């Protein structure tokens, strides 16, 4: 058994494809590439694939990850070439590396995610003024949001690791590192809505891209 970590980009038409269909697309591409995929046992065998985290529908993923298990070892260059030949539009294989078969699952070591959110400012603010407002925002003891109607407010401040800003001709780019995983995860849309209280922005006008997935030790998942 051999395990390969695949870094890939998800954009274009693939932005609008749900996670289950992305899983099927990878399995189909691997079969078309004649890779010797390993399968689970039981009455309903499934390809042994492990994704880091589902990408929300509509969001671009600049560097996503999936681990594939093969029944036999192949040269990394061959795996890259075969997959690139069979991936559907919007899914681009960036690189592949072999990882130890006993490495922890990607989802288990994921700690936080980096997003780039771009939109327009409703009024002129200098970068210094924006940074001052962000510092005040991050100094709050709690930041309450309601995820679904009828739910109690939840404090997302512990899950906001950092926010930095750039401004260019009335466009603001916010780089956020937010908690990810099964507990305490924070969505970039929630942060944008909370920022409305201190900044002239319209969250609905922002484009959001996920650019990095980071492990508990601070490394990119690629390096784990």
């Amino acid at each position: 058994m051999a395990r390969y970590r695949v870094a890939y980009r998800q954009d274009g038409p693939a932005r609008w494809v749900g996670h289950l269909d992305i899983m099927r697309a990878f399995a189909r591409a691997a079969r078309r590439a004649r890779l010797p995929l390993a399968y689970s046992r039981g009455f309903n065998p499934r390809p042994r694939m492990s994704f880091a985290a589902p990408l929300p529908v509509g969001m671009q993923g600049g560097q996503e990850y999936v681990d594939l298990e093969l029944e036999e070892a192949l040269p990394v260059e061959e795996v890259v070439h075969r997959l690139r030949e069979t991936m559907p539009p919007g899914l681009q294989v960036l690189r592949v590396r072999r990882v130890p078969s006993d490495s922890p699952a990607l989802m288990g070591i994921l700690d936080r995610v980096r997003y780039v959110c771009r939109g327009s400012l409703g009024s002129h603010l200098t970068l210094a003024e924006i940074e001052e407002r962000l510092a005040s925002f991050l100094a709050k003891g709690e930041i309450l949001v309601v995820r679904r109607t009828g739910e109690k407010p939840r404090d997302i401040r512990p899950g906001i690791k950092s926010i930095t800003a750039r401004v260019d001709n009335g466009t603001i780019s916010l780089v956020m590192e937010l908690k990810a995983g099964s507990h305490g995860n924070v969505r970039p849309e929630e942060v944008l809505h909370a920022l409305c209280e201190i900044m002239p922005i319209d969250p609905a006008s922002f484009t959001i891209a996920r650019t990095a997935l980071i492990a508990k030790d601070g490394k990119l998942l690629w390096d784990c």
Side-chain angles (χ1 to χ4, degrees), residues 18-29:
H19 183 61
L20 288 177
D21 285 326
I22 292 295
M23 294 173 64
R24 295 187 187 104
F26 261 93
R28 189 179 304 117

Side-chain angles (χ1 to χ4, degrees), residues 4-198:
Y4 295 83
R5 182 153 299 163
V6 180
Y8 66 96
R9 182 189 304 276
Q10 183 176 336
D11 58 14
R15 287 173 52 199
W16 308 104
V17 177
H19 183 61
L20 288 177
D21 285 326
I22 292 295
M23 294 173 64
R24 295 187 187 104
F26 261 93
R28 189 179 304 117
R31 288 194 295 268
R32 290 179 58 200
R34 299 186 182 279
L35 294 178
L37 273 177
Y39 282 78
S40 62
R41 305 193 176 205
F43 293 104
N44 187 22
R46 298 178 183 274
R48 294 178 65 89
M49 301 187 301
S50 172
F51 287 79
L55 187 69
V57 173
M59 187 179 295
Q60 174 188 326
Q63 188 161 241
E64 303 296 307
Y65 302 103
V66 58
D67 282 357
L68 303 178
E69 292 191 32
L70 304 184
E71 291 284 359
E72 61 183 80
L74 296 175
V76 168
E77 296 79 7
E78 186 173 347
V79 175
V80 172
H81 175 73
R82 290 197 196 183
L83 281 177
R84 283 179 175 170
E85 290 291 312
T86 58
M87 295 300 290
L91 289 176
Q92 177 190 359
V93 172
L94 302 175
R95 54 193 186 279
V96 176
R97 63 181 284 251
R98 189 167 174 185
V99 296
S101 296
D102 60 353
S103 296
L106 288 166
M107 191 173 290
I109 59 176
L110 178 64
D111 180 66
R112 60 189 187 275
V113 177
R114 186 179 301 140
Y115 299 95
V116 177
C117 309
R118 293 188 176 91
S120 58
L121 282 168
S123 60
H124 177 73
L125 288 175
T126 66
L127 179 59
E129 290 171 327
I130 290 171
E131 289 176 339
E132 183 178 351
R133 295 188 186 195
L134 286 177
S136 174
F137 179 77
L138 294 173
K140 291 183 177 182
E142 64 178 11
I143 299 172
L144 299 177
V145 302
V146 176
R147 181 162 287 184
R148 297 182 183 86
T149 302
E151 286 187 350
K152 293 181 179 179
R154 58 190 295 266
D155 181 17
I156 62 171
R157 179 60 190 91
I160 302 174
K161 304 304 181 181
S162 66
I163 307 176
T164 58
R166 296 191 301 270
V167 179
D168 182 28
N169 293 327
T171 297
I172 184 170
S173 297
L174 296 168
V175 181
M176 307 178 184
E177 285 196 7
L178 308 178
K179 182 75 174 69
S182 56
H183 300 289
N185 63 307
V186 177
R187 300 172 181 173
E189 298 91 342
E190 294 172 327
V191 179
L192 289 173
H193 280 284
L195 285 170
C196 284
E197 298 180 7
I198 63 163

